[in-house]
Amino acid sequence: MLVDLIQQLFNGLVIGSIYTLVALGLTIIFGILGIAHFAHGSVAMFGGYLTFFFIQSLGIGLFPSMALAMVAGALLGVILERVAYHPVRNAPPINAFIIALGLTLIIEKSNLILFGVDQVIIPTGFDRVFEIGGVTFPELRVYILVIAAVLVIALTILIQKTWMGMAVRAVAQNRPAAILMGINVDAVSMFVFGLSSALGVAAGVLVGALFAVAPGVSSGLVVKGFAVLILGGLGSIPGAIIGGLLLGVSETFATAFISSAYKDVIAFLLMIGVLLFKPEGLMRRSATR
Amino acid sequence: MNRFWKLAMAGALAITAPAAHAADKVLTIGVSDALSGGGAVYGEPQRRAINLAIEQINGNGGIAVGDDTYTLETIEYDDKADPTEATNVARKLIDRDGVKYLMGYCCSASTGAVASIIGREDVIMLVGTAGARAITAAGNDNVFRTRPPGDYTGAAAGRFIYDQGVRRLGVVATRDVALFTQYRDALVEAFKEAGGEVVAVETFGGQDRDMTAQLTKVRGLDPDGYFISGYVEQVAFAYRQAHELGITAPRFGFSGGSAEQFLAVASKEAMEGVWDLIAIEFNAEALGDNAKAYAKAYEERWGDYPTPNSAFAHDQVWVLKHALENAGTTELGAVKEALRNLTVPSEVVLEYLPVDGQMFDPKGQAYISNGAFQFHDGDWEFKTKLPSDAAGYSAYFQTIRK
Amino acid sequence: MIRYVLILAVIAGAIAFPHLLTSNYFIHLAILAMIWMIVAQGANVIQGYTGYVSIAQAGFMGIGAYSSALLSIEAGFPVWIAILVSPFFTAVASLIAGYPSLRVKGHYFAIVTLAMNMVIFIVLVNWIPVTGGESGLPGIPAPEPIVIGDFELNFLRRNTYYYLVLAALALVMLLVVAVVRSRVGLVLQAIRQNETLAEAAGVACWRYKLFSFVFSASLAGFAGALYAHYQAFISPAPFSVDHSLNAILAVILGGSGTLFGPLVGAALTVALPEVLRVAETYRLIIYGVGLVIVVIFLPRGLYPWLADLSRGLFGRKDGNGAEAHR
């Protein structure tokens, strides 16, 4: 029983770490620009496909391919911000939301045309399985936890310790004041979109390695991401981390101890519960806002 | 001016000529199948098999119907294996394109939806891989199906698993596709009847690719055998994750995918020893010369080895050809009658078990043999036929409606 | 004046429509288009007039469709009763769901409604004993025929069902006009303009928002019931988030916060797939690009733009066009 409990906890943390990566990108964008960037999941899938493509056609390894795809994803993010979101920055928020829906359609379906309808599994070669006292730890899942942790730490350092990070925090806290202080808000917006999209691509690659990159995956991913945001508090980085892990673990435990049929409902029950009793989210807005 | 009229006359002749000669008529077949999404691994091969058979028939002079000779052509739509989309496609084919013969139909839910409204329409529907029982059990006289219902095979599979020495079975299966749930229920019932115990039935949904939590839960109950079923894309993940969880007990399954489809997801090691208990769909090892010729032609035409289920669609076309020839007309009532009285044509690939000497039973259902395949060293190996009672099942089948 | 002539012409055209066409398929499309117009008009109430995007319209349509189907199949209610009762089921569901979600604003609200739609979808797929799961519910009866002497209205006939849906659409339009022009409608539009200000003026905004949400969901439920008894078969697929997005698209394309915009938008979303006979994938990309372009360059939508154009053409400047009804 204890073995199963630990096994399920591990299963849940791995899924949760992916949710965290998705939610981090969403939460930074929301914190700075107040945009619910719906197309984030499609960007993540785009990155996953691209990584697969690099591995297959350039013959380079997983990590170089992933890094290249993250750069490409960051560029895509910057372009989206410039072309689509920037023109409506002063319009009512509903406009940005509709734009996000339009972008989702465009990117999602472009993925279909570029990469086909078949599911794509990113080959890693990490096939070993470690076992400690009956609990099995597949090599790939362990690496996913590690990669997610490294990215989260890197992001925290970037936001907390660098000049650009300081500018980002300043804009999040008080946009007019930041402008008065001479911070280039346009540059910050582009930076934030690039950074978030790169994180999203990383999440897409991990999903593609552990499961598959395929049509229909992105919407599930982005909705889980938003559930995490509501759980943790919109715009909060610690909230995204805690919320993501919490969501992953509760889904897994729900499958194990309640019913596998309604595991996806758990996210929404948690969300509605939080809205009712703690509408500002489990963690108070901090880091970016 | 003169030249213009000559050209126009020639053009008009070219257009009207086929209709003028009794020799060259065209019969349009509406194809509705999953060409994208999760069902495409079944639907696209069916589409290809139908086109292959049509090219062969057309190439050999078409179909002699009474005094006329027909060639076949298709109008094809993607129903995405989705019930609503499939009913829309049926509307388009019937109302807009005026098609009288429908073919394809790989997936249970979408086909079930069309079958539920098709009784009112003036068409003949030939169903391929879709295995939900109600499609033919409902008793519409214009629906014919080459694949046997899921529970016909499931019962045989349940006894087989018990005979393999399994006593405590853990089930991880897709939740909501009638083909799989009916198969699973019949399997569980037969397994219990033989004296086995089912320790757990865990399910997963249409988009899930992570069955780790379900498998961990079942692993904790320590069964001595697993049964895993669903569409290939998902089931392959379950085998991969079972391997990662260190599960070594025998794994039996029902999904009917090719080795390539499984190996795209799971490693050879993860798949080693896995059983697939299915109606014997296309398999060159288990079937005769027709199957080998079909495999060769399919590979030449499409550059891929045929998937197991594609043969259901291939056989539909030949069935229709013979029914049209026997009827001597394209009038639907006569063709229905001819289908009902059809003996198994010689060109079909699969091994049909006739009931009362006829390919289709009174509800338009055909039966084939069941078999056990095992994954070994990167490919499926045919192991044995499962004892199957087509006449007995058909008698029971006539008594149910869904 | 021209405006009323136009409206009358459209109504006359709609009534004559089935007789002008020989193909059943176009009548089929027209029925679907009108059902979508009802859904879009519902979305318009919450999105266009109140300023809150709800991504749950298709889900509520599903609740209406399934409850009406189940009432007639399982509980044996006459179909007419089932169709009329199902919007109330939807209203109750949306009341329960709306109460917690309306505590939040803007994007939060949109995301919560999206989650709601997903929950509805998951329940439709997984509550197999009741909903039949992914395989859906077959054999949904059409409304009972109406017999007056020798004259029979048989709703299995597509033409007859066309007029039923047309009448339903007219009823919905009258209801929406009544609401929008009432004091409630004015408050809703005040909330859209500036909720804080409305609140400060002593309006209990949440009540009005809840009303707007429940009203729009009920319209979707009504449309769902009409859909179920028309198609004779329902499965969860048409009630997914994608189709909620379609309703939003219809409102935005046509012109949100106008009475006729959503009708134009819904007609377009049904007609475009037939006109743009390219692969669906490309079509959806065109949709996406269209959405972005409309929001950036025509933020008021097509209908007000067309109305302006036609005013320009007819040389009228009295402002009695779409603008007056915003």
Side-chain angles (χ1 to χ4, degrees), chain B residues 314-365:
Chain B
H314 169 269
D315 290 356
Q316 289 177 334
V317 187
W318 289 98
V319 161
L320 179 63
K321 171 181 190 282
H322 285 276
L324 286 168
E325 284 175 353
N326 293 354
T329 165
T330 54
E331 193 267 313
L332 286 178
V335 179
K336 273 187 233 172
E337 200 50 37
L339 278 165
R340 201 146 273 120
N341 294 321
L342 193 68
T343 51
V344 179
S346 62
E347 295 93 342
V348 297
V349 166
L350 301 175
E351 184 183 68
Y352 292 93
L353 308 175
V355 175
D356 288 339
Q358 285 157 358
M359 177 159 175
F360 294 104
D361 77 3
K363 281 195 169 167
Q365 180 62 56

Side-chain angles (χ1 to χ4, degrees), chain A residues 168-254:
Chain A
V168 169
R169 279 183 292 144
V171 175
Q173 275 162 15
N174 192 331
R175 194 184 183 95
I179 295 170
L180 291 177
M181 300 305 287
I183 290 176
N184 183 343
V185 177
D186 280 359
V188 168
S189 300
M190 287 192 279
F191 173 75
V192 160
F193 255 90
L195 182 66
S196 305
S197 301
L199 278 177
V201 166
V205 174
L206 298 186
V207 169
L210 188 54
F211 307 118
V213 191
V217 174
S218 63
S219 60
L221 213 54
V222 85
V223 167
K224 294 287 168 65
F226 278 121
V228 170
L229 252 64
I230 291 197
L231 280 183
L234 284 171
S236 156
I237 289 179
I241 298 169
I242 305 281
L245 296 178
L246 188 71
L247 183 60
V249 171
S250 21
E251 277 185 6
T252 309
F253 277 29

Side-chain angles (χ1 to χ4, degrees), chain C:
Chain C
M1 197 53 201
I2 287 174
R3 182 181 160 75
Y4 292 103
V5 171
L6 273 176
I7 291 176
L8 281 176
V10 168
I11 292 174
I15 291 173
F17 182 78
H19 301 287
L20 301 176
L21 288 168
T22 43
S23 168
N24 262 336
Y25 188 66
F26 287 106
I27 300 172
H28 169 70
L29 287 180
I31 292 173
L32 290 185
M34 289 192 296
I35 289 174
W36 272 104
M37 285 175 188
I38 298 176
V39 180
Q41 198 57 272
N44 188 31
V45 170
I46 182 87
Q47 175 182 335
Y49 286 104
T50 320
Y52 274 69
V53 182
S54 160
I55 318 183
Q57 292 307 110
F60 289 127
M61 190 181 168
I63 293 184
Y66 274 86
S67 51
S68 188
L70 288 168
L71 280 175
S72 54
I73 300 174
E74 300 291 337
F77 277 74
V79 173
W80 292 105
I81 305 288
I83 291 180
L84 291 177
V85 168
S86 56
F88 293 96
F89 274 77
T90 320
V92 171
S94 61
L95 195 66
I96 296 168
Y99 181 72
S101 355
L102 281 162
R103 294 168 67 108
V104 292
K105 295 178 183 175
H107 294 292
Y108 267 111
F109 176 77
I111 295 163
V112 173
T113 54
L114 173 101
M116 244 181 248
N117 201 142
M118 298 194 91
V119 170
I120 294 171
F121 190 76
I122 291 171
V123 171
L124 293 182
V125 168
N126 285 310
W127 198 12
I128 296 169
V130 173
T131 64
E134 212 158 15
S135 308
L137 284 178
I140 303 168
E144 294 78 10
I146 296 175
V147 183
I148 309 163
D150 287 344
F151 181 71
E152 191 196 51
L153 284 176
N154 178 356
F155 292 94
L156 279 170
R157 287 195 56 227
R158 223 167 281 174
N159 278 3
T160 320
Y161 211 93
Y162 173 90
Y163 288 113
L164 172 65
V165 178
L166 183 63
L169 176 63
L171 176 74
V172 166
M173 285 300 288
L174 291 177
L175 265 177
V176 171
V177 170
V179 167
V180 167
R181 299 217 169 140
S182 71
R183 202 187 77 87
V184 175
L186 292 179
V187 173
L188 294 182
Q189 287 166 74
I191 291 174
R192 183 189 68 196
Q193 304 283 353
N194 192 334
E195 188 172 344
T196 323
L197 197 66
E199 196 86 52
V203 177
C205 287
W206 71 270
R207 280 193 201 170
Y208 291 89
K209 289 192 295 187
L210 196 57
F211 167 79
S212 167
F213 184 67
V214 171
F215 180 58
S216 76
S218 311
L219 291 186
F222 183 44
L226 291 170
Y227 177 83
H229 295 281
Y230 172 62
Q231 293 281 45
F233 169 86
I234 48 172
S235 71
F239 311 120
S240 69
V241 171
D242 284 4
H243 293 86
S244 287
L245 298 183
N246 243 344
I248 295 172
L249 174 76
V251 174
I252 293 286
L253 269 186
S256 63
T258 67
L259 279 173
F260 296 98
L263 306 190
V264 175
L268 275 179
T269 52
V270 173
L272 277 181
E274 300 300 321
V275 181
L276 295 172
R277 292 286 282 278
V278 290
E280 181 182 84
T281 317
Y282 289 94
R283 200 178 71 231
L284 290 171
I285 291 182
I286 296 171
Y287 275 14
V289 173
L291 211 52
V292 172
I293 289 177
V294 166
V295 171
I296 293 179
F297 297 105
L298 286 177
R300 291 187 302 138
L302 287 178
Y303 175 74
W305 181 63
L306 289 175
D308 285 351
L309 265 188
S310 76
R311 258 202 306 284
L313 284 178
F314 291 111
R316 287 160 41 84
K317 287 192 161 70
D318 63 359
N320 192 19
E323 205 57 18
H325 296 282
R326 280 182 63 87

Side-chain angles (χ1 to χ4, degrees), chain A residues 120-167:
Chain A
V120 161
I121 292 113
I122 297 174
T124 60
F126 301 136
D127 287 338
R128 285 180 296 168
V129 177
F130 309 115
E131 193 197 317
I132 304 167
V135 182
T136 55
F137 298 96
E139 192 182 12
L140 176 61
R141 291 187 180 231
V142 175
Y143 291 156
I144 283 176
L145 271 182
V146 173
I147 292 169
V150 167
L151 287 171
V152 167
I153 293 167
L155 176 77
T156 314
I157 293 174
L158 194 67
I159 296 282
Q160 296 295 335
K161 306 285 182 197
T162 66
W163 186 88
M164 197 65 198
M166 208 155 72

